[in-house]
Amino acid sequence: MPDGAAPVLDVRGLKTVFRTRSGEVHAVNHVSFSLQKGELLGVVGESGSGKSVTMMSLVGLLPQPPAEVRGGQVLLDGRDLLKISLPELQDIRGARVGFVFQDPMTSLNPVFKVGDQIMEPLLRHMGLTKAQARTRAIELLELVGIPDAAARMSSYPHQFSGGMRQRVMIAIALACDPDVLIADEPTTALDVTIQAQILELVKELRQKLGMAIVWITHDLGVIAGIADRVMVMYGGQVVEQGRVAEVFKHPAHPYTRALLKTVPALHGARADRLMAIEGQPPILMAEPSSCPFAARCAHVHDRCRVENPQRRDLNPGHDVACHWEAPHA
Amino acid sequence: MLTFTLRRLLLAIPTLLAISLVIFLLVDLAPGSPMSEIPLTVPPDVRQRMIEAMGADQPVFVRYVLWLRQFFWVEPAQVINHWFGTDFAAGEQRILSWQSRSPVFTVIGQRLPQTLTVIGTAYLVGILIALPIGIYSAYRQYSVFDQLGTLFAMIGFSVPTFFSGTLFIIIFAVWLGWFPTKYDTMMEVTDWESFLKQLRQMALPVLTLGLANAATISRYMRSSMLENMVQDYVRTARAKGMREKTVVLKHVLRNSLIPVVTVIALGIPSIFGGAIITENLFGVNGIGAALILAIHASDLPMVQTLAFIFAVLIVVFNLIADILYGLLDPRIRYD
Ligand SMILES: Nc1ncnc2c1ncn2[C@@H]1O[C@H](COP(=O)(O)OP(=O)(O)OP(=O)(O)O)[C@@H](O)[C@H]1O
Ligand SMILES: [Mg+2]
């Protein structure tokens, strides 16, 4: 992907908190990243690291309250999505930013026909007639590999398998040719062979349609397979970010290193879940004033406990938020 | 769906037969005599002949079998004759009220319209009030509106209609004089003025029953909306860029209505139950008032027939609720 060109999506200093009964939870703290046209950014981090909250904050999909996006900028082609009105945001959702969620079993409305659910964003954003939307919806179903698409238009979600439903979700997300597709663990709820099929499908669609993709996953093997860049999140912040080959070869953050160690064989077998690191991720009741990983870090020293490290560049396009200097191995 | 409906209808037959027998026996056990309203000056042998003439001296099983035959054959035949000009079951004895000596179904036919206009309107009004309140309360959970809705529902739940009805009569009819205290059954709507008058006299009973119904239904609507509002498909709808109106009034509402419609259908027979109190309170000469009168007079055929009709309504609306559920929820398949 061409470096230096203006990114489609540029997120700067995003901060999201949840107001709960027991206080504020600082789920996302000053997260910055950008996405070039046609690029695939993989996002990893264990459960609760703020991946979903970050992505949902971009287009205001979190229920507010309890959520509150408290700061930062989300620039889509230079326009700040945090500053525009709800109707303007609704014009962008589904049209320029598409979402695919984790659980295909519950993400479709059970009482409407699949075809109608695909046609809905088409009618909403594209100004098509019903007949045109129908034709386009059938094309989309064919595009995501659903056989006998025209007949399946009038099926209900419960008549589809999990993998098929996720294909439908992808069809919905891609319906209006978005610039950015955000896929939040789209294969986690599916069994392995179906996962592989969905991955193949996305790779193929990316070739065809050329949208930028944010792919959230627990599976480093998937990242190695499809991503251009990887962003590692921990405790609501970005701890390391860089090109996949570079980060996998020279991981600089102790957390990234630990993650990579939990993967048995990077090329080939499927990676393990990321649960194997000792200790628990923190629940942030205040903005962290120390490194959130300090309690579990193998290389922790005094400074880590009093100062939350800023992101610093290691190489062009590879940065880390850590006080420790990783030896180049 | 058709097979399901037919099977359920067939199953309903033994159920209803059993219910009818129980009703018949229970009502028969009740103390009291159909002669209790007849003046004591009537000599005993005349009384005896009156009882015999009504067939009230027959053993209970004879009366039961006779009643069954009348209810399921003679009375339907009358309806068919009326519609198609046939003469089935001609000259056969219909179910007669001991009290008025006229056929029970003639009495019901006269009184049903009163019940349906007043009580039916009240239920409809109740639903029309309840749905928007329930929807909006859920959409703005814990808002002032929602709190007021909760308060309203709590009052509606806990205050019995005979109390709220009396209160409304005192406030709106006696003190303010806006509405009449009694419902005039004989009034006929012929022009605009009498129509307004009819509306005014319906207002208090409709308000009383309507609020009670609205309280229950609005709670169902609210909790069903709340349950659906947090579902993943709602987030999907928002992620597609749908307007809030579409998200709530199409995606969430369509799912939330499934259980609520069922509850509404199941509640329809109980309209008639609730009518008993309200009709007496406001002097509406409907089915409920007829039942009370018949009970006082030990008019067993009337009581048994009305009680059985309530039972039929309950069974029928249970079936309707199930069918509606199947129609509204594509995941349900009855076969
Ligand atoms: N509704 C909420 N109320 C309070 N806190 C919340 C809420 N939703 C999320 N959080 C907090 O935000 C943090 C980040 O959650 P998020 O869902 O983004 O994690 P994630 O990285 O997507 O995890 P997973 O891999 O399990 O999907 C969590 O630790 C949680 O404490
Ligand atoms: Mg998540």
Side-chain angles (χ1 to χ4, degrees), chain B residues 66-326:
Chain B
L66 199 67
W67 177 86
L68 275 186
R69 182 181 148 72
Q70 290 170 329
F71 192 95
F72 287 104
W73 163 238
V74 183
E75 295 295 344
Q78 299 296 328
V79 176
I80 291 171
N81 294 347
H82 182 77
W83 283 346
F84 301 104
T86 51
D87 52 327
F88 289 117
E92 296 231 25
Q93 184 65 270
R94 300 181 60 186
I95 306 177
L96 289 189
S97 157
W98 288 351
Q99 207 180 350
S100 64
R101 310 289 186 275
S102 48
V104 163
F105 277 92
T106 309
V107 178
I108 294 176
Q110 285 161 354
R111 289 178 170 247
L112 193 61
Q114 308 288 342
T115 298
L116 285 183
T117 7
V118 179
I119 313 299
T121 309
Y123 203 57
L124 220 62
V125 167
I127 295 170
L128 290 180
I129 297 177
L131 296 190
I133 291 183
I135 294 169
Y136 197 73
S137 297
Y139 187 61
R140 292 257 175 270
Q141 196 188 3
Y142 305 132
S143 66
V144 177
F145 182 90
D146 183 29
Q147 313 272 3
L148 286 178
T150 307
L151 186 71
F152 160 78
M154 218 133 78
I155 294 173
F157 268 141
S158 47
V159 178
T161 48
F162 61 80
F163 181 80
S164 56
T166 315
L167 197 68
F168 288 154
I169 290 179
I170 293 176
I171 297 176
F172 296 111
V174 178
W175 290 353
L176 296 174
W178 291 351
F179 307 109
T181 49
K182 269 270 177 240
Y183 187 92
D184 177 7
T185 311
M186 305 310 287
M187 206 192 70
E188 272 181 49
V189 177
T190 48
D191 52 9
W192 180 243
E193 203 167 313
S194 58
F195 175 72
L196 285 182
K197 209 167 157 210
Q198 169 71 8
L199 280 189
R200 265 223 302 285
Q201 68 170 350
M202 278 173 64
L204 287 184
V206 165
L207 187 69
T208 308
L209 259 188
L211 287 185
N213 286 324
T216 326
I217 298 171
S218 70
R219 286 281 101 175
Y220 277 115
M221 189 72 238
R222 176 180 181 271
S223 67
S224 184
M225 286 291 288
L226 283 177
E227 201 175 295
N228 279 288
M229 210 97 82
V230 294
Q231 296 297 317
D232 285 351
Y233 68 77
V234 180
R235 185 180 57 190
T236 305
R238 293 208 169 98
K240 289 198 282 193
M242 306 318 293
R243 299 289 188 209
E244 269 310 274
K245 207 172 116 196
T246 313
V247 173
V248 176
L249 294 183
K250 181 176 169 194
H251 288 265
V252 181
L253 183 60
R254 178 63 176 70
N255 280 276
S256 309
L257 273 180
I258 297 171
V260 176
V261 165
T262 312
V263 165
I264 290 176
L266 286 175
I268 288 177
S270 70
I271 302 178
F272 292 92
I276 297 172
I277 291 164
T278 320
E279 286 187 353
N280 275 286
L281 191 61
F282 291 96
V284 180
N285 269 326
I287 296 283
L291 181 62
I292 295 287
L293 266 179
I295 290 173
H296 282 313
S298 291
D299 184 355
L300 300 195
M302 189 75 180
V303 176
Q304 282 151 347
T305 306
L306 280 177
F308 184 66
I309 289 176
F310 289 155
V312 172
L313 285 178
I314 290 172
V315 171
V316 166
F317 277 98
N318 261 294
L319 177 60
I320 289 179
D322 277 347
I323 293 174
L324 281 177
Y325 208 106

Side-chain angles (χ1 to χ4, degrees), chain A residues 106-107 109 117 120 124-125, chain B residues 232 236 240-241 243 251 255:
Chain A
T106 55
S107 290
N109 193 325
Q117 297 191 53
E120 220 179 7
R124 162 83 177 82
H125 297 294
Chain B
D232 285 351
T236 305
K240 289 198 282 193
R243 299 289 188 209
H251 288 265
N255 280 276

